[in-house]
Amino acid sequence: MASIRFANILLETKPRALHFPTMYYRADVPFRPSGENGAWTLTEGGAVDFTTYFNALSVIKLRRYTRATAYRLHLQVQGAPCSVTQTRATRLGMTPEVLAQTAVELPHTDRWTDVVLDLLDDEQSVLVGFQLASEGVVAMRDAYYEVDIDGDPRTVDLAIATTTFRKESFIRKNMKLVRTELLDADDDISRHLTMHVVDNGRTLDPQESGDPRITISPNENVGGAGGFARGMIEAMEQSTPATNVLLMDDDVEVSPESIRRTYELLRMVNDEYAEAFVSGAMLNIEDTEVMREDTAYIDPELGICMPAKSRMMVSQYLDVVDNEAFDEELSVPANAHRYAAWWYCCIPMSVIRRVGLPLPVFVRYDDVEYSIRSNPKFMTMNGICVWHAKFEIRYNAGVERYQRTRNGMIAQMTTGLAPDFDTFLKGLHRQVDLEMRKFNYTDAELALDGFEDFLKGPKFIEQPVAQERFMRANRIKEQMVPFDELSQQAEDMGLKDFDPERLTRPMMEMDRQRSLQERAFDYLTHNGQRFIPAGSKDEAGAESYAVITHDGWEYPAGAIHGEDIIIAVDWASRKGVIRRKDTKRYREVVKRYKRDMAYFKKHRERLAQEYKDAALKLESVGFWKRYLDME
């Protein structure tokens, strides 16, 4: 039997912790840092509870994933008489249960005093934690959970692989955190951790990391897929080959404690989960307490990515408990495949050696395809997470229309993301249909560009064309203009009373219910674009317009019904675009869509065989070394 220091009690003074302290603790009196060796102090008599997202111990997950046999709490206290008492959370409890029989009572002490609390556990417990209560001013420090395991810890050499493209501020911050909080620490992880920064933008000095265990590799811009492929290769070939590779986006904020807990989890994992992926949750940078996803799946009917859980508020006790007790088998369809996104995903090297490297698809669906190809179990846990920008405020048609269409179809041919390829054909139809209903013919054609590049077969992506095609998609996608220019365009068109500075998000997102007659009209005429002569509205009618969000996923059918002009606005970037109904262009896109579908139906079997035959080559180390010019 061995003991592992698994999780430190995490207390921070960063803005997110100050705004949402209940992610870390709940106190009925002020609880503040006291500036001495990481100590925090209850400033008067009261209690502080740590049954929270970052500071409760997830015994339900440890029982499932590891060889854990017992749990202990360690901490030091100083000051007024106080007590340390275990708490626990069960599935249906509204508040943490305080286990009075576990209380350790301490008299007043002017010296730091060690407290060790053996934690009770049973099958009903989801989380265990603790409460510190005092009669006056008391301080605590160096609090952590220790786990006893059956047998010896596994030897883990963890390599962080992160890909960056001109996001210097994010990556420099994360390198510094890894260096100061992990590599410079005097504990086990510091001797078994490396970091590989793949610099697709070639904007970093390869010598600037400040530690030989952090390498910066200038790389061609081959997207996330190429960057992570190189990181996997470098982790595989480092002086002591990595046992596990933690893939992490560059534009995330991460707590070093999440990395530490990942490392310790891997040391005590049981045989059943030895080759599982550790999937870190994505919390929103903008809405700090919102957990968007920890694993997801491909909807077998729609072919789209869906979170396995509903959104959780990690500052709320009930959501913290539900997050760990949640059973994905109840929410994920039986015929759907789960995956782990690469904003934070730790993969065993044994899996990489067995199933190969990512497909050369630049961005989008690379992580989805890889998880589904690997077919692993997944480990998730409260407190293992990153903060990432919300998807809603970084919509990019170059990614969501071109990359998503092309890569989803490639991955379906090579790996099988959904039960049937027709799922992705329906998805293409929905994308083109949605954009045209909103008069966005440019981005409808962008989706067809992705389809047509897929139709070129695997030899097309074997060549280093990924960057050029992605850059082209971003050049030709619908281009928005700043608000001042948008206002001038609206004025020149005679659109009355349009003032973007007076807009609010609810105004842009507002929709209305359509009548049955209006719904029938929109369906039959494709929002007034077929069976209706161009220019049928009078001049006064043409001056009316609808203002909607530029978010490509939305369809405000009632707001745009009967309009010839749509102003689409992106409130985050303070930009927008004016669209006019164009029946001629509408017919051209429809004609192109039908022509592409006819070609696919004729060549479907050939394409399926070509992609299947090419998969092993495209996923091999030899291919990637040539592709990345590493040989």
Side-chain angles (χ1 to χ4, degrees):
M1 186 181 75
S3 298
I4 288 178
R5 179 169 173 156
F6 172 64
N8 296 311
I9 299 304
L10 184 62
L11 295 169
E12 296 184 328
T13 57
K14 296 177 180 178
R16 61 172 173 255
L18 298 176
H19 292 153
F20 299 100
T22 55
M23 295 192 301
Y24 302 85
Y25 63 87
R26 290 179 178 83
D28 56 15
V29 296
F31 184 56
R32 297 169 179 161
S34 53
E36 180 185 351
N37 298 321
W40 281 60
T41 300
L42 275 173
T43 58
E44 56 186 274
V48 57
D49 183 274
F50 295 92
T51 321
T52 60
Y53 180 75
F54 282 107
N55 288 326
L57 186 66
S58 181
V59 290
I60 191 173
K61 295 290 183 69
L62 292 172
R63 289 195 300 266
R64 184 183 309 161
Y65 303 152
T66 76
R67 295 168 283 140
T69 58
Y71 315 98
R72 273 181 301 279
L73 169 72
H74 293 256
L75 73 158
Q76 293 183 326
V77 297
Q78 181 187 67
C82 65
S83 63
V84 179
T85 310
Q86 179 188 338
T87 61
R88 76 163 188 162
T90 57
R91 285 176 170 82
L92 298 180
M94 296 296 293
T95 59
E97 180 183 352
V98 180
L99 304 183
Q101 70 272 27
T102 67
V104 175
E105 304 287 345
L106 296 130
H108 181 278
T109 176
D110 292 325
R111 296 182 178 181
W112 288 106
T113 301
D114 291 319
V115 179
V116 180
L117 184 63
D118 290 319
L119 300 172
L120 303 180
D121 176 42
D122 57 42
E123 290 298 320
Q124 302 305 313
S125 297
V126 176
L127 309 171
V128 298
F130 69 101
Q131 179 187 92
L132 171 65
S134 75
E135 299 176 12
V137 178
V138 69
M140 61 166 275
R141 70 178 187 184
D142 196 26
Y144 64 93
Y145 295 110
E146 183 179 49
V147 180
D148 290 345
I149 62 171
D150 182 19
D152 295 326
R154 295 179 185 270
T155 299
V156 174
D157 288 288
L158 179 62
I160 300 171
T162 183
T163 301
T164 186
F165 182 77
R166 298 177 182 173
K167 292 187 175 72
E168 296 86 356
S169 61
F170 274 101
I171 200 65
R172 286 186 174 121
K173 181 179 179 181
N174 287 337
M175 283 194 295
K176 182 179 179 181
L177 281 173
V178 169
R179 185 177 68 250
T180 59
E181 299 294 327
L182 298 173
L183 293 176
D184 291 347
D186 185 21
D187 55 16
D188 196 73
I189 191 173
S190 66
R191 297 180 287 276
H192 296 275
L193 180 67
T194 55
M195 184 176 190
H196 299 279
V197 178
V198 181
D199 181 16
N200 283 352
R202 295 177 177 260
T203 56
L204 300 172
D205 180 351
Q207 306 304 317
E208 73 174 81
S209 72
D211 192 296
R213 292 167 291 182
I214 301 178
T215 60
I216 299 175
S217 301
N219 204 45
E220 294 297 328
N221 185 19
V222 286
F228 285 129
R230 179 161 188 160
M232 289 176 175
I233 294 171
E234 291 185 349
M236 187 184 299
E237 297 183 349
Q238 64 188 33
S239 57
T240 300
T243 60
N244 301 78
V245 183
L246 172 55
L247 306 181
M248 192 167 69
D249 273 352
D250 59 342
D251 57 346
V252 299
E253 294 181 9
V254 61
S255 169
E257 179 65 19
S258 290
I259 299 172
R260 189 185 300 274
R261 292 179 188 182
T262 299
Y263 172 77
E264 301 297 353
L265 177 63
L266 295 172
R267 294 180 71 207
M268 56 188 185
V269 71
N270 59 32
D271 290 343
E272 181 182 356
Y273 282 86
E275 288 198 331
F277 288 12
V278 180
S279 182
M282 188 194 96
L283 277 59
N284 286 339
I285 287 178
E286 298 80 11
D287 299 326
T288 307
E289 62 178 339
V290 176
M291 191 196 89
R292 183 184 178 96
E293 178 184 312
D294 57 12
T295 61
Y297 66 95
I298 293 292
D299 187 300
E301 301 298 325
L302 301 176
I304 60 176
C305 303
M306 299 289 293
K309 302 175 181 176
S310 59
R311 294 187 183 187
M312 303 280 185
M313 305 288 282
V314 300
S315 60
Q316 304 299 315
Y317 171 77
L318 292 179
D319 279 8
V320 170
V321 178
D322 288 345
N323 192 42
E324 296 301 79
F326 192 89
D327 184 355
E328 286 82 1
E329 290 186 3
L330 300 178
S331 64
V332 178
N335 60 341
H337 297 296
R338 279 175 72 195
Y339 69 88
W342 283 357
W343 50 66
Y344 189 106
C345 179
C346 191
I347 303 174
M349 183 61 76
S350 57
V351 174
I352 296 172
R353 293 184 185 278
R354 184 172 67 253
V355 307
L357 301 175
L359 289 172
V361 292
F362 203 78
V363 294
R364 193 56 90 235
Y365 280 105
D366 48 344
D367 50 359
V368 177
E369 184 276 335
Y370 196 85
S371 281
I372 292 173
R373 189 198 327 160
S374 303
N375 192 30
K377 292 181 179 295
F378 297 98
M379 295 189 287
T380 65
M381 189 174 289
N382 283 346
I384 297 180
C385 63
V386 295
W387 283 268
H388 201 297
K390 292 167 66 174
F391 292 142
E392 294 90 333
I393 65 172
R394 56 193 185 105
Y395 177 81
N396 180 347
V399 174
E400 301 302 335
R401 293 298 176 246
Y402 174 78
Q403 293 287 140
R404 176 180 165 185
T405 299
R406 187 196 69 180
N407 295 352
M409 292 183 172
I410 291 173
Q412 178 64 23
M413 284 289 191
T414 61
T415 305
L417 310 188
D420 192 277
F421 192 90
D422 287 349
T423 297
F424 287 88
L425 294 179
K426 294 174 184 175
L428 172 65
H429 181 271
R430 280 192 304 274
Q431 290 184 55
V432 173
D433 179 80
L434 175 61
E435 296 294 11
M436 296 224 288
R437 287 181 186 275
K438 297 188 292 185
F439 310 153
N440 187 357
Y441 310 105
T442 299
D443 290 349
E445 290 185 310
L446 199 58
L448 293 178
D449 286 346
F451 186 39
E452 289 165 6
D453 279 357
F454 157 75
L455 295 175
K456 294 174 183 176
K459 289 190 178 297
F460 181 68
I461 62 169
E462 285 181 19
Q463 308 305 314
V465 298
Q467 178 182 5
E468 187 278 327
R469 297 304 291 173
F470 183 59
M471 291 176 65
R472 176 184 178 275
N474 280 297
R475 285 195 306 271
I476 68 174
K477 69 182 181 183
E478 182 179 64
Q479 301 298 319
M480 294 183 291
V481 299
F483 276 177
D484 56 351
E485 189 174 343
L486 186 68
S487 296
Q488 186 60 55
Q489 289 180 1
E491 183 178 338
D492 293 344
M493 293 174 63
L495 305 181
K496 298 177 181 179
D497 302 323
F498 175 70
D499 182 0
E501 298 296 343
R502 299 181 64 182
L503 292 173
T504 63
R505 275 194 294 163
M507 290 169 61
M508 289 183 288
E509 295 170 357
M510 189 177 298
D511 199 5
R512 67 171 181 83
Q513 291 291 326
R514 293 174 294 167
S515 68
L516 184 61
Q517 183 179 6
E518 288 173 334
R519 291 168 63 90
F521 175 86
D522 290 344
Y523 175 77
L524 293 172
T525 69
H526 215 173
N527 203 18
Q529 296 175 96
R530 61 183 177 189
F531 313 136
I532 297 208
S536 62
K537 279 198 170 186
D538 60 21
E539 184 177 345
E543 289 180 354
S544 67
Y545 59 90
V547 179
I548 66 172
T549 176
H550 187 263
D551 187 339
W553 294 293
E554 299 299 326
Y555 176 43
I560 65 176
H561 171 78
E563 301 291 354
D564 284 347
I565 297 175
I566 294 173
I567 303 178
V569 175
D570 177 32
W571 60 269
S573 65
R574 295 177 59 80
K575 292 182 177 181
V577 63
I578 300 176
R579 304 169 182 162
R580 279 186 177 275
K581 181 170 69 176
D582 186 337
T583 55
K584 179 176 182 295
R585 195 168 179 195
Y586 168 84
R587 290 193 293 271
E588 290 172 349
V589 176
V590 171
K591 182 178 179 180
R592 180 181 173 188
Y593 171 79
K594 292 180 177 178
R595 182 193 67 211
D596 289 348
M597 287 299 298
Y599 180 90
F600 172 74
K601 290 176 181 177
K602 182 177 180 180
H603 297 277
R604 180 171 183 161
E605 292 186 6
R606 173 183 62 80
L607 285 166
Q609 190 62 49
E610 287 180 358
Y611 276 110
K612 183 178 179 180
D613 293 343
L616 287 178
K617 174 184 176 181
L618 296 174
E619 298 156 2
S620 69
V621 173
F623 166 81
W624 272 108
K625 282 192 169 184
R626 292 188 296 273
Y627 192 90
L628 299 171
D629 199 23
M630 294 178 67
E631 294 183 328

